[in-house]
Amino acid sequence: MHESTDVAGLAILMVILLYPYLDSFHDLLLCKPLPSTSTGTEIFKLLDDDDNCVNVCTDGAKAMTGKMSGAIAKIKGKGCSSVHCILHQHALAMKKMPPFKKQVLSETVKIINFIKSRPKNNRLFKILCDDMESLHTSLLLHPEIRWLFRGKSLICLFQLRNEVGIFLRDNDFALGEKLCDERKAVTVFDATDKVEGFKKKLKYWVDYIKNGSLDCFPLTKGFGEELESDIPADILNEFEVHLLRLTDDFNSYFPKRLHENLKENVWVVEPYSISKKPSSLTSQEYECLLDLTSDTAVTSKFKTEKSISDFWCTLKDEFKVLSDKANLILLPFATTYSVETGFSEYTATKTKYR
């Protein structure tokens, strides 16, 4: 669930509804304008008809998560739980940058905007890229709100750094010299696993940076090889400090206990790896799980179903208790990605002329 404003100034509420039906999970889209303000009360009015909600995933905005008047607080009054979008938490953890890297990002945005926000510059830059037979002919915007493409926009700029440098210097843009300075990228289980994997990578990267190796950062390493010189020690030190700060931030947003709590329900995604009763299952439910894992037909389904949610939906008749419990665990959205991409599509179809 997410709220945003379109080009016409309308506050739009977008909700992706996930529910089990027959043998799989299905989703529905709610996209409605908020008649007056975008407060939690107004948002709740549009959702007040649904008494069957078990979990809501939002971006953590105040209108959504306010303790007293937030939409989530009102929805929780009906016995519903909530989840803060893991991607948004990831973005928040990544926001804390040292001044050195924040300045680089700020200058990157200015460079991209100088080209992308001016139609003439955009056309001329495309011609330049065509003449140079570049891999890309256009830069990707780096909007602060739609942060899904931040990494792609930075990679694209880096790959076109020579072309962009030429274009900026020809147009006397102040940051043109920066690009010729020679010194200088789901279920809750899936999302949590990705986060844990990234935390392990951070530790691994720190160890490599300490040894002066850039093998984990091929773009940066390739840039140094292109210049035929080593990356300066002070830059490597900045990388190490930043990675250590990232590690602390990720440990703060995603403490180890959350991953451990999720392990109690690992039987949902790995029913055949369970050798003793999980604390989240009653004795009767565990006995049911033993029957399930001993059923050859069910084992075949587990191997052939497209997703784990579809697998549990197909067992709603034969193993109803376990199926219902598993679906309640799988139903909550781990991220607001669907809504974010939905707003991107919405923005693309609605212009100021429509």
Side-chain angles (χ1 to χ4, degrees), residues 166-218:
I166 293 172
F167 184 83
L168 295 182
R169 290 192 292 277
D170 288 345
N171 286 272
D172 295 325
F173 188 63
L175 296 175
E177 297 302 318
K178 292 286 185 178
L179 293 175
C180 63
D181 185 356
E182 295 189 354
R183 289 189 57 188
K184 303 194 177 163
V186 179
T187 66
V188 67
F189 294 95
D190 298 327
T192 304
D193 288 344
K194 293 291 185 184
V195 170
E196 289 300 313
F198 185 70
K199 287 164 68 174
K200 292 177 181 177
K201 286 181 183 178
L202 284 174
K203 184 177 182 302
Y204 175 64
W205 292 341
V206 169
D207 292 339
Y208 253 69
I209 288 290
K210 284 181 178 178
N211 295 327
S213 173
L214 289 172
D215 289 345
C216 298
F217 307 95

Side-chain angles (χ1 to χ4, degrees), residues 88-108:
H88 272 270
Q89 293 186 76
H90 185 288
L92 289 172
M94 295 288 286
K95 266 185 172 294
K96 296 180 182 178
M97 293 185 178
F100 159 74
K101 295 185 74 67
K102 188 172 290 186
Q103 180 183 356
V104 171
L105 185 60
S106 175
E107 291 174 349
T108 297

Side-chain angles (χ1 to χ4, degrees), residues 3 77 93 105 147 174 210 237 284 308 327 331:
E3 175 272 328
L105 185 60
W147 35 259
K210 284 181 178 178
N237 184 61
Q284 290 75 19
I308 192 65
N327 284 336
L331 267 176

Side-chain angles (χ1 to χ4, degrees), residues 37 72 141 197 210 253 262 266 282:
T37 62
I72 298 301
L141 281 174
K210 284 181 178 178
Y253 278 98
L262 203 59
V266 74
T282 64

Side-chain angles (χ1 to χ4, degrees), residues 127-196:
I127 294 172
L128 173 65
C129 291
D130 287 335
D131 291 342
M132 296 180 67
E133 298 182 351
S134 305
L135 180 63
H136 307 290
T137 60
S138 179
L139 295 172
L140 296 177
L141 281 174
H142 177 282
E144 183 66 21
I145 300 301
R146 297 286 171 258
W147 35 259
L148 294 175
F149 300 107
R150 171 185 288 182
K152 291 182 180 179
S153 63
L154 294 177
I155 290 174
C156 184
L157 176 63
F158 186 82
Q159 292 173 338
L160 289 172
R161 62 188 181 279
N162 294 326
E163 293 84 347
V164 173
I166 293 172
F167 184 83
L168 295 182
R169 290 192 292 277
D170 288 345
N171 286 272
D172 295 325
F173 188 63
L175 296 175
E177 297 302 318
K178 292 286 185 178
L179 293 175
C180 63
D181 185 356
E182 295 189 354
R183 289 189 57 188
K184 303 194 177 163
V186 179
T187 66
V188 67
F189 294 95
D190 298 327
T192 304
D193 288 344
K194 293 291 185 184
V195 170
E196 289 300 313

